[in-house]
């Protein structure tokens, strides 16, 4: 039972073999005299290879899970990089504080949230996670410990936010929380019949709602192209008093599903049922933050439903365009390919600038789609989608990527060469080697 | 049980215990070898609701143990102690080099027995208190894979049995904790089999057992039955097994 299993990414693709050297205390130096490059590894929720370092060394950070300070008056929290957002919520929600922004899972570390400059359903208001980070410590391979903030080591601060863990080890970070009255979210779910309606609902929701996101039926065609459900919400007001944080998930996927479990028909059936689950156009509810932000966290190891071959997530952002032609074309190509996506999530990014040099979000619209790994056919589809994204001046989210070509990355992130000046020479990742290899 | 001393406070199980006690608003005294690490743990536990003091000293210097208790007593009375320090040791090395085995005995066993002795007398004088120490399922039967470690833990177990017998009429409770495999972040890269328990779960079991005055705790619970079977295997068969 103690045979080593390789650390994986969430999409379980690509496979990688790494030497594992867990970090124990933030005051200790990095492992000395190790051959090859190192990379911090938190909870492995990056989908592709941004959290992998094939043939080299991974430094698991989950033992760096101490809170350093939390001020219930000001809502400023300082904690070690291996603390998870889950643990932050457990601590701060009873004091009526909430994360400034959160991705669709709370099972990531604070270090990972900084290194991927994660975003959430409130991006149009709050910007990225990095917007709320006040400072952090960076431990470099030369042994130096640098305090980084917008005013101190500002270059490294900007490079490290969204810097994919390549500028050194983030040992701790300090960030500002958001005040709430309780643990509840007032939710409205609006059904939209096509892409046009999505944009209408989205535009009218941005001012009145802090959180907006849409689930899309990406197998619907014709006049139903782009139909789905728009979820919008606000923190519930002071007349509610429930401040209980979330509890442990009760469901688990104990084994891999067979590779055929998710096929065109099962996904089509799911999407059809999901779209029609709500009959009235608008539905109101008050719900706990846990199912609203983290519906999939309720099922441990949910990625196993994609079977042993793993899966891809394809997430891109493209600037707004009047006719939404690129989104339309991408949806059309996905439907035509017959490769369904179980989960398609559509969201508009706002104008708040991302503080990171390589941050993914920029003003526009972002779409995230899951695809089972069906080998070359899936990769071929992505190459086609890449061309559309690139033509629309878009780019792909590194935290989700396992396959984009170097040109795709370098054109999407023209600052990448400038970024290299801030990298720690001892740090690297499978992702970085892949997207910077010469053509 | 509000005023508690955690010995080996930077270990994974002690930290998990500390966090659960902090949530109850406990007053904690952390003993460890490294002042730096104790301060990291202490700051974390304070944020989580505990009032915390730390004391760092060399556990292998047994003469320092009573002095540490004296310092702690200056801060007030104590209701319970959890003896959590220890090391897994290198079985293969210990087989070849008795000096290595001796060191294991000093750290894992003699140090614990010294702490148990001074706390037994302290709580006996006070007429109340809870003494809990971490043994191991490995102490239930000697196996080739880890019998040096197992022996240190078996000694703790037997010693605790005697203490329990001695202190029962004095109102002092003695809890022997026998965890199975506990997954710490250090073992995150190992296959997380069904037998692996999380420190949080183990800590929860420990506090429940301490609150209810239990004598011996196997955690998770199924180890009681696994070890029962292992103990029942006749020696003539056991010697042939690769355990």
């Amino acid at each position: 039972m103690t045979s080593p299993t390789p650390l994986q990414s969430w999409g379980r693709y690509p496979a990688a073999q790494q030497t594992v050297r867990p970090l124990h205390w933030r005051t200790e130096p990095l492992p000395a005299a190790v051959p090859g490059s190192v990379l911090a590894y938190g909870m492995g929720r990056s989908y592709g290879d941004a959290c992998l370092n094939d043939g080299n060394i991974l430094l698991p950070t989950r033992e760096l899970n101490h809170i350093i300070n939390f001020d219930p008056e000001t809502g400023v929290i300082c904690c070690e990089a291996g603390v998870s957002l889950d643990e932050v919520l457990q601590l701060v929600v009873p004091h009526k504080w909430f994360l400034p922004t959160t991705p669709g899972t709370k099972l990531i570390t604070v270090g990972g949230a900084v290194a991927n400059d994660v975003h959430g359903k409130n991006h149009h208001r709050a910007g990225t996670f990095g917007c709320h980070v006040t400072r952090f410590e960076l431990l470099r391979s030369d042994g130096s410990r640098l305090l980084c903030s917008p005013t101190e080591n500002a270059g490294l601060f900007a490079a490290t936010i969204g810097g994919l863990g390549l500028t050194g080890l983030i040992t701790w970070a300090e960030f500002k929380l958001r005040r709430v009255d309780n643990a509840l979210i007032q939710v409205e779910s609006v059904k939209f019949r096509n892409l046009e309606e999505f944009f209408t609902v989205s535009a009218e929701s941005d001012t009145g709602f802090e959180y907006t996101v849409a689930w899309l039926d990406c197998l619907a065609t014709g006049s139903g192209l782009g139909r789905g459900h728009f979820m919008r919400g606000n923190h519930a007001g002071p007349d509610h008093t429930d401040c209980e944080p979330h509890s442990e998930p009760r469901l688990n996927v104990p084994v891999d599903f067979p590779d055929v479990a998710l096929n065109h028909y099962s996904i089509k059936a799911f999407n059809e049922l999901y779209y029609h689950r709500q009959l009235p156009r608008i539905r109101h509810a008050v719900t706990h933050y846990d199912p609203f932000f983290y519906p999939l966290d309720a099922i441990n190891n949910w990625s196993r439903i994609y079977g042993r071959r793993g899966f891809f997530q394809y997430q891109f952002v493209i600037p707004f365009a009047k006719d939404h032609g690129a989104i339309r074309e991408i949806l059309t190509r996905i439907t035509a390919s017959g490769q369904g996506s179980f989960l398609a999530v559509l969201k508009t990014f706002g104008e708040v600038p991302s503080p990171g040099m390589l941050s993914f979000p920029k003003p526009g619209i972002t779409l995230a789609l899951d695809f089972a790994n069906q080998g070359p056919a899936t990769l071929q589809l992505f190459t086609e989608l890449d061309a559309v994204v690139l033509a629309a001046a878009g780019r792909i989210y590194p935290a989700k990527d396992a396959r984009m070509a170097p040109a795709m990355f370098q054109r999407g992130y023209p600052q990448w060469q400038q970024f290299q000046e801030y990298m720690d020479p001892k740090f690297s990742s499978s992702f970085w080697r892949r997207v910077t290899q010469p053509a | 049980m509000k005023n508690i001393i955690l010995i080996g406070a930077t270990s994974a199980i002690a930290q998990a215990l500390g966090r659960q006690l902090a949530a109850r608003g406990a007053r904690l005294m952390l003993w460890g070898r490294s002042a730096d690490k104790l301060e990291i743990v202490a700051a974390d536990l304070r944020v989580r609701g505990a009032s915390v003091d730390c004391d760092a000293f060399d556990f292998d210097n047994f003469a320092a143990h009573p002095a540490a208790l004296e310092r702690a007593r200056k801060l007030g009375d104590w209701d319970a102690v959890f003896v959590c320090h220890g090391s897994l040791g290198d079985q293969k090395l210990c087989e070849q080099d008795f000096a290595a085995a001796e060191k294991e005995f000093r750290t894992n066993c003699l140090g614990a027995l010294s702490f148990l002795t001074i706390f037994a007398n302290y709580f006996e004088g006070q007429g109340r208190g809870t003494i809990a120490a971490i043994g191991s399922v490995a102490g239930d039967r000697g196996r080739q894979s880890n019998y040096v470690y197992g022996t240190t833990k078996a000694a703790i177990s037997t010693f605790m049995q005697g203490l329990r017998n001695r202190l029962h009429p004095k109102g002092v409770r003695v809890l022997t904790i026998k965890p199975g495999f506990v997954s710490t972040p250090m073992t995150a890269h190992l296959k997380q089999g069904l037998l692996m328990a999380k420190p949080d779960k183990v800590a929860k079991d420990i506090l429940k057992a301490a609150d209810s005055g239990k004598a011996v705790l196997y955690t998770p619970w199924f180890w009681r039955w696994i070890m029962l079977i292992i103990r029942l295997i006749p020696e003539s068969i056991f010697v042939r097994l690769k355990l």
Side-chain angles (χ1 to χ4, degrees):
Chain A
M1 64 164 273
T2 50
S3 71
T5 51
L7 291 180
Q8 292 178 312
S9 64
W10 190 238
R12 307 166 80 200
Y13 176 95
Q17 289 291 340
Q18 294 109 160
T19 308
V20 176
R21 299 284 296 267
L23 302 172
H24 304 308
W25 299 92
R26 71 169 188 269
T27 47
E28 287 178 349
L30 291 168
V34 288
S37 62
V38 300
L39 182 71
Y41 180 94
M43 300 183 80
R45 287 286 168 137
S46 296
Y47 284 66
D49 53 1
C51 65
L52 301 177
N53 199 11
D54 195 21
N56 288 277
I57 295 148
L58 284 182
L59 311 173
T61 61
R62 276 290 280 152
E63 242 171 300
L64 309 182
N65 62 5
H66 301 98
I67 312 289
I68 297 167
N69 195 21
F70 166 54
D71 184 344
E73 296 299 313
T74 61
V76 174
I77 186 169
C78 183
C79 65
E80 291 180 350
V83 171
S84 67
L85 297 189
D86 173 88
E87 290 158 351
V88 171
L89 287 168
Q90 292 283 3
L91 176 71
V92 306
V93 169
H95 294 279
K96 300 191 175 183
W97 291 98
F98 200 73
L99 295 167
T101 184
T102 174
T105 174
K106 58 188 177 300
L107 303 176
I108 65 164
T109 62
V110 167
V114 175
N116 294 284
D117 198 15
V118 299
H119 58 271
K121 299 174 174 55
N122 59 350
H123 183 273
H124 59 286
R125 295 253 181 111
T128 60
F129 192 85
C131 295
H132 307 274
V133 174
T134 44
R135 53 189 183 144
F136 52 78
E137 182 188 70
L138 201 60
L139 172 56
R140 305 269 289 185
S141 61
D142 62 7
S144 59
R145 288 175 185 268
L146 303 173
L147 190 73
C148 303
S149 76
T151 52
E152 203 170 338
N153 294 308
L156 264 175
F157 184 74
T160 302
I161 294 176
L164 304 170
L166 300 168
T167 58
L169 175 78
I170 303 168
T171 55
W172 56 261
E174 182 188 81
F175 57 100
K176 286 187 278 195
L177 299 162
R178 185 212 185 285
R179 195 37 121 176
V180 291
D181 289 309
N182 48 58
L184 305 177
I185 306 287
Q186 203 120 31
V187 193
E188 269 184 43
S189 172
V190 185
K191 216 155 122 171
F192 54 92
R193 285 170 299 183
N194 52 47
L195 214 50
E196 280 314 314
E197 277 193 21
F198 163 79
F199 284 102
T200 312
V201 178
S202 181
E204 75 185 28
S205 303
D206 277 4
T207 47
F209 295 88
E210 182 169 349
Y211 300 104
T212 64
V213 70
W215 166 84
L216 214 65
D217 175 0
C218 63
L219 294 182
T221 51
S223 61
L225 186 77
R227 71 177 185 181
H229 291 255
F230 195 94
M231 258 80 74
R232 53 193 192 187
N234 288 312
H235 288 281
D239 42 326
H240 295 274
T241 53
D242 175 9
C243 286
E244 273 294 302
H246 58 277
S247 44
E248 293 260 308
R250 283 189 209 97
L251 302 172
N252 184 27
V253 180
V255 293
D256 293 322
F257 276 31
D259 289 339
V260 295
L262 288 191
N263 55 47
H264 184 75
Y265 301 101
S266 63
I267 289 171
K268 179 92 188 155
F270 169 82
N271 279 268
E272 199 71 33
L273 285 170
Y274 196 84
Y275 178 72
H276 291 296
R277 80 195 160 130
Q278 170 181 338
L279 289 175
R281 196 178 89 87
I282 301 192
R283 197 168 61 175
H284 300 265
V286 175
T287 169
H288 192 266
Y289 70 79
D290 202 32
F292 179 72
F293 288 108
Y294 315 114
L296 287 171
D297 285 353
I299 309 163
N300 279 327
N301 301 308
W302 65 260
S303 65
R304 285 176 177 162
I305 64 169
Y306 283 102
R308 262 179 210 291
R309 297 167 69 184
F311 73 109
F312 295 98
Q313 186 162 96
Y314 190 83
Q315 181 171 2
F316 62 88
V317 56
I318 54 173
F320 293 111
K322 277 214 171 64
D323 60 349
H324 317 304
I327 294 280
R328 210 177 292 279
E329 181 171 354
I330 285 170
L331 289 176
T332 311
R333 278 178 191 261
I334 292 170
T335 355
S337 77
Q339 298 190 55
S341 177
F342 200 30
L343 275 172
V345 174
L346 193 61
K347 152 120 196 103
T348 52
F349 279 151
E351 301 288 335
V352 186
S354 302
M357 206 175 274
L358 292 184
S359 292
F360 163 66
K362 61 177 181 179
I365 177 142
T366 182
L367 178 62
L369 307 130
D370 281 3
F371 291 91
N373 177 13
Q374 296 176 26
T378 312
L379 293 171
Q380 177 55 36
L381 172 66
F382 293 152
T383 308
E384 289 173 26
L385 302 184
D386 282 354
V388 183
V389 170
L390 211 49
R395 62 188 179 201
I396 286 177
Y397 191 5
K400 304 288 181 72
D401 181 66
R403 38 63 53 190
M404 75 169 128
M408 184 73 194
F409 173 74
Q410 293 170 17
R411 289 180 63 185
Y413 297 86
Q415 326 81 314
W416 73 280
Q417 277 168 314
Q418 184 200 347
F419 171 78
Q420 277 182 313
E421 295 165 23
Y422 292 99
M423 280 178 65
D424 188 303
K426 188 76 181 164
F427 282 67
S428 184
S429 68
S430 292
F431 174 85
W432 191 255
R433 290 190 292 278
R434 173 166 61 80
V435 299
T436 56
Q437 67 196 353
Chain B
M1 201 172 64
K2 188 169 187 300
N3 305 295
I4 293 148
I5 298 181
L6 293 173
I7 303 181
T10 59
S11 76
I13 291 178
Q15 287 196 58
L17 276 170
R19 287 178 182 186
Q20 289 177 25
L21 290 165
R24 301 179 175 186
R27 177 173 146 259
L28 302 174
M29 166 61 81
L30 310 184
W31 286 1
R33 301 173 181 91
S34 151
D36 282 4
K37 292 173 188 172
L38 282 179
E39 203 35 65
I40 289 174
V41 175
D44 177 82
L45 295 177
R46 283 184 197 115
V47 169
R48 294 171 195 274
S51 71
V52 188
D53 287 287
C54 302
D55 200 347
F57 56 95
D58 177 11
F59 285 8
D60 288 350
N61 173 16
F62 304 151
H65 295 187
L69 179 56
E70 281 318 304
R71 287 193 295 275
R73 288 187 63 181
K74 287 208 176 97
L75 300 174
D77 288 340
W78 300 94
D79 308 323
V81 63
F82 290 85
V83 183
C84 303
H85 73 289
S87 65
L88 193 50
D90 182 336
Q91 168 68 25
K92 287 282 172 245
L93 182 67
C94 291
E95 285 172 16
Q96 300 308 317
D97 177 5
F98 187 71
E102 188 187 2
K103 192 171 166 297
E104 284 305 306
F105 267 85
R106 224 179 149 70
T107 307
N108 258 338
C109 177
L110 296 177
L113 302 190
S114 161
F115 286 129
L116 292 173
T117 300
I118 62 168
F119 275 97
N121 295 334
Y122 166 52
F123 287 137
E124 186 179 28
Q126 197 172 253
R128 59 176 189 92
T130 297
I131 301 176
I134 298 189
S136 170
V137 295
D140 279 11
R141 189 161 193 175
R143 292 172 292 129
Q144 57 178 306
S145 56
N146 65 355
Y147 63 82
V148 173
Y149 176 77
T151 307
T152 66
K153 292 300 193 182
I156 290 175
S157 199
T158 307
F159 194 89
M160 296 278 281
Q161 253 174 359
L163 272 189
R164 188 176 304 118
N165 197 209
R166 171 187 145 198
L167 297 175
H168 182 77
K170 309 288 173 62
V172 179
R173 288 167 163 180
V174 178
L175 167 65
T176 310
I177 303 153
K178 296 185 178 181
F181 296 106
V182 181
S183 95
T184 65
M186 240 155 75
T187 59
H189 59 292
L190 302 177
K191 198 171 171 82
Q192 300 294 300
L194 289 173
L195 295 180
M196 275 271 185
K198 290 192 175 142
D200 280 352
K201 157 80 177 136
V202 168
K204 206 172 176 180
D205 286 355
I206 292 173
L207 286 186
K208 202 174 150 200
D211 286 338
S212 69
K214 201 168 178 161
V216 179
L217 167 74
Y218 284 86
T219 167
W221 60 271
F222 48 78
W223 283 100
R224 172 179 292 275
W225 307 107
I226 295 176
M227 295 321 293
L228 178 66
I229 292 163
I230 289 184
R231 282 199 309 272
L232 287 175
I233 300 171
E235 195 68 10
S236 57
I237 296 172
F238 199 78
V239 290
R240 292 165 218 269
L241 302 176
K242 290 248 182 243
L243 283 168

